[in-house]
Amino acid sequence: MQYDLRTNSSSKLFSCHPFTEDNTPDSSTTVRLNSIVIDPRNPNYVSVGGSDEYVRLYDMRKCHWNASSMLDRPVNTFCPCHLKGCGNVHITSLAYSNTSELLVSYNDELIYLFLKDMGMGSNPLLVSSEEVGKLEEARVFSGHRNSRTVKGVNFFGLDDEYVVSGSDCGHIFIWDKKSAKLVRLMAGDRHVVNQLEQHPSLPVLAKCGIEKSIKIWSPMSKKVQPLPTDVDEVCFPGPLISFPI
């Protein structure tokens, strides 16, 4: 939906439906959406993610087409190759960098970084295994746990040089974007950390979770702190299918 803040009205833009092998939308069911982000380099491009494994990229310039002209069809899709067609994961959050890199956080899985040329086209079911094998693998960020609640993901730094996420363990995870190496691990909450948001011009993070308070984080020293000694106990080795609440 699109809402005009100058009025009380809204308008429908697109409906997300599961993909089919005959390339016709399955209008009987819909994909529930958790996240929507706009490409900062091309505001006509909107990416959405929800109750399946695929990120869908839509072109806002096509929202006024007639429905018979593939109104609800994305112009591109993104998904880690090993998750294509798995059906047992879903997307909780998306984030764009200032250079149009796309972060995707999966429930019961990991965080992935996609570039523009890593897409699977408008219908990933029509992409052969050989073509999928030729795609560059997305960069992977691991160690956090995204199972109990809907976790956000974001970039951090003046040049988006870091990736940040909360975790079920109550910690804040900060990775180096280029190497995907964990560089900072902070106890952010007694319970679950859900969302981290960077100040638009300062090295400041706002954090929220399932507690009632919002915490603001800012660097206080020039000395680089090492990772805690129990980092291996805090981090999860990889995706899990189930996690007790």
Side-chain angles (χ1 to χ4, degrees), residues 176-196:
D176 178 78
K177 184 181 69 175
K178 289 185 177 180
S179 67
K181 179 181 178 181
L182 183 66
V183 296
R184 197 80 173 95
L185 181 64
M186 304 181 294
D189 212 323
R190 290 178 297 173
H191 301 289
V192 177
V193 175
N194 283 332
Q195 184 68 34
L196 294 162

Side-chain angles (χ1 to χ4, degrees), residues 161-216:
E161 60 266 40
Y162 300 102
V163 172
V164 295
S165 174
S167 176
D168 287 337
C169 62
H171 285 77
I172 296 171
F173 285 72
I174 303 179
W175 298 270
D176 178 78
K177 184 181 69 175
K178 289 185 177 180
S179 67
K181 179 181 178 181
L182 183 66
V183 296
R184 197 80 173 95
L185 181 64
M186 304 181 294
D189 212 323
R190 290 178 297 173
H191 301 289
V192 177
V193 175
N194 283 332
Q195 184 68 34
L196 294 162
E197 194 71 34
Q198 175 179 278
H199 188 281
S201 59
L202 299 174
V204 175
L205 275 176
K207 180 244 85 181
C208 69
I210 62 175
E211 291 186 353
K212 296 181 180 180
S213 62
I214 296 172
K215 295 182 176 67
I216 305 298

